[in-house]
Amino acid sequence: MNRKGKPVRKCHGCILNIGERCAIYKEPHDKWHNSKCSSYNDKELYRKYLEDLEKHPQDKAKKQREESARQHNTEEHHQGRKGSR
């Protein structure tokens, strides 16, 4: 089985599920081995995750690139199209 740390279907309603990955575990599939994840909707782990995010803020240059890309996508193209394609 090809596992890359992506949450499994059972992670759908969990607050630790960030879409492409689990906020806490590198291999969420292993946590569901016995049909129950011990950290499913654990508010304490989620609070610790948010604290870690505050300690290590996102790079300012990365935020500027994201904002620039958003703005670029809304500008009118010289041929009448929006965005790149």
Side-chain angles (χ1 to χ4, degrees):
M1 175 181 254
N2 186 8
R3 290 187 245 159
K4 302 238 181 207
K6 204 167 178 179
V8 295
R9 182 175 289 173
K10 296 176 186 177
C11 295
H12 177 69
C14 184
I15 58 177
L16 298 172
N17 181 2
I18 307 178
E20 287 295 315
R21 63 185 180 85
C22 177
I24 305 297
Y25 302 110
K26 291 184 180 180
E27 294 291 337
H29 187 272
D30 295 340
K31 294 301 290 180
W32 286 97
H33 181 67
N34 292 324
S35 298
K36 183 168 188 230
C37 178
S38 60
S39 302
Y40 188 81
N41 281 337
D42 189 344
K43 294 186 186 335
E44 183 64 27
L45 283 175
Y46 186 64
R47 186 184 60 74
K48 287 180 183 179
Y49 168 70
L50 292 178
E51 287 175 0
D52 286 344
L53 281 181
E54 290 176 7
K55 288 179 187 175
H56 305 286
Q58 201 176 34
D59 187 21
K60 290 181 183 180
K62 183 176 181 179
K63 285 184 178 181
Q64 288 176 340
R65 286 192 306 270
E66 288 175 352
E67 183 60 31
S68 174
R70 264 190 230 108
Q71 291 298 324
H72 180 271
N73 201 23
T74 61
E75 293 176 2
E76 193 68 28
H77 193 271
H78 71 277
Q79 291 179 344
R81 296 181 296 179
K82 285 188 177 180
S84 59
R85 289 188 186 190

